[in-house]
Amino acid sequence: MLEFTLTLAGLLPFAAGYGMHWMMTAYPDVRLPYGLIGLAFLLLWGGISFLAGIFARRTPLLSIACMNGVALLVLVLLGIQELVLGAYFSNAAGIWTQLYFLPLLQLGFSLTSWSSRVFAADAAACLLMVAVSYLGFWLGRRQSVK
């Protein structure tokens, strides 16, 4: 049951990205604090994995894979769109995959300043999510042992 809940939690970046997209299109003159949004999102992501680490009975690798499985799938779809096809899909799949990493895109671009590709920033954002979830699970497991 925990793995299913973590898979549903893996859909949270869609909601956050859609909210940011709505704010950017509804209020184009307002500049959002993208770096702060990214840090807050990573804190939330780590908090969810920390709680899951406390309640997890199985290996943390399965929980981390369930939580970040959607992110890896989206990253593969983004790679196909940008690197193979050279253009994003013009349907809902193309739009939603672009919105998934939007909360972490500023941090991703900060880490990949050597590259001009959006895919590199998306991959860095995905790695940040995996690293933070691993750290949260590890800290949660340590908390539950005591």
Side-chain angles (χ1 to χ4, degrees):
M1 183 66 179
L2 179 66
E3 287 78 18
F4 178 71
T5 306
L6 289 175
T7 304
L8 288 179
L11 299 173
L12 282 176
F14 282 126
Y18 181 76
M20 287 179 65
H21 172 70
W22 178 81
M23 285 290 295
M24 288 187 291
T25 55
Y27 304 103
D29 296 334
V30 177
R31 186 180 186 284
L32 296 175
Y34 299 110
L36 188 62
I37 290 171
L39 291 175
F41 181 79
L42 284 177
L43 186 63
L44 174 70
W45 198 253
I48 291 170
S49 61
F50 176 79
L51 290 174
I54 290 174
F55 296 111
R57 292 185 179 89
R58 297 186 184 150
T59 175
L61 246 50
L62 178 63
S63 300
I64 291 170
C66 288
M67 190 169 180
N68 295 299
V70 177
L72 293 174
L73 178 66
V74 169
L75 187 65
V76 167
L77 288 173
L78 284 169
I80 290 170
Q81 291 177 74
E82 186 175 339
L83 302 176
V84 176
L85 299 176
Y88 292 105
F89 298 143
S90 60
N91 56 12
I95 294 169
W96 281 99
T97 53
Q98 292 178 57
L99 292 180
Y100 189 83
F101 290 113
L102 188 59
L104 297 173
L105 207 55
Q106 175 68 32
L107 296 175
F109 275 120
S110 297
L111 292 174
T112 59
S113 59
W114 47 268
S115 176
S116 62
R117 291 202 176 264
V118 178
F119 181 74
D122 289 334
C126 185
L127 287 175
L128 279 173
M129 289 172 65
V130 171
V132 166
S133 63
Y134 177 78
L135 180 65
F137 277 111
W138 181 73
L139 290 173
R141 296 289 273 187
R142 286 183 51 123
Q143 184 69 24
S144 68
V145 169
K146 291 182 180 181

